[in-house]
Amino acid sequence: MANCYFTEFIKGALDSGNVVGAVFLDLKKAFATVNHKILIHKMNMFSFFHQAINWFRSYLEARDQCVNINNARSSLQNIEMGLPQGSILGPLLFSLYINDLANCCKETKCQLDDSYLCISTDFTLSSRYTNK
């Protein structure tokens, strides 16, 4: 379905005389890139209840990890980025983290999927940014 929607998005934009750009995303390690402070800030922006934000903060913050290889153990390191691996909340929190990505392209129509970001805009608008 995602491929069909992607194709129709492009065909519709081109039929309307728009230009189309796409960025294909590799989200394999994306959960590891979630910045806790930014995520909590976004929850505030989305008007989450204060108690819910505190619960999520306690879920994300004050986590430590270490590496154990052949009975040699590293020191504990505080984790300030990423979501707990295999967590049920991971996909939801990641969606909250990236759902405003399309807002950075305000003058465009934007489609965000789990594997691509596709942008369509009026050709006359995009010509403003070319060298004359």
Side-chain angles (χ1 to χ4, degrees):
M1 276 311 273
N3 287 336
C4 289
Y5 188 79
F6 176 64
T7 303
E8 290 302 315
F9 179 87
I10 292 172
K11 286 178 10 184
L14 293 175
D15 287 346
S16 299
N18 291 347
V19 293
V20 178
V23 176
F24 294 88
L25 309 170
D26 179 6
L27 299 178
K28 289 180 196 150
K29 307 252 182 207
F31 286 18
T33 65
V34 174
N35 182 302
H36 298 167
K37 290 179 183 173
I38 293 172
L39 179 59
I40 295 297
H41 174 74
K42 287 184 178 192
M43 288 179 179
N44 277 306
M45 299 295 287
F46 296 136
S47 300
F48 274 54
F49 287 115
H50 185 69
Q51 295 89 342
I53 292 172
N54 285 339
W55 185 85
F56 279 111
R57 183 178 286 122
S58 72
Y59 174 73
L60 294 170
E61 295 178 353
R63 288 182 174 267
D64 295 327
Q65 73 177 15
C66 67
V67 177
N68 191 11
I69 300 174
N70 295 331
N71 295 326
R73 185 176 179 177
S74 70
S75 60
L76 288 174
Q77 298 291 316
N78 187 285
I79 302 171
E80 296 178 9
M81 301 271 293
L83 300 171
Q85 231 176 5
S87 68
I88 293 173
L89 290 173
L92 170 70
L93 294 174
F94 184 72
S95 293
L96 287 171
Y97 189 68
I98 67 164
N99 82 331
D100 62 346
L101 186 59
N103 293 345
C104 68
C105 307
K106 294 189 187 309
E107 298 174 336
T108 64
K109 181 179 180 192
C110 190
Q111 171 61 36
L112 178 63
D113 195 299
D114 61 350
S115 59
Y116 67 87
L117 172 66
C118 191
I119 300 170
S120 167
T121 190
D122 180 0
F123 182 72
T124 57
L125 174 65
S126 62
S127 66
R128 289 192 302 177
Y129 302 105
T130 60
N131 292 333
K132 294 183 181 179

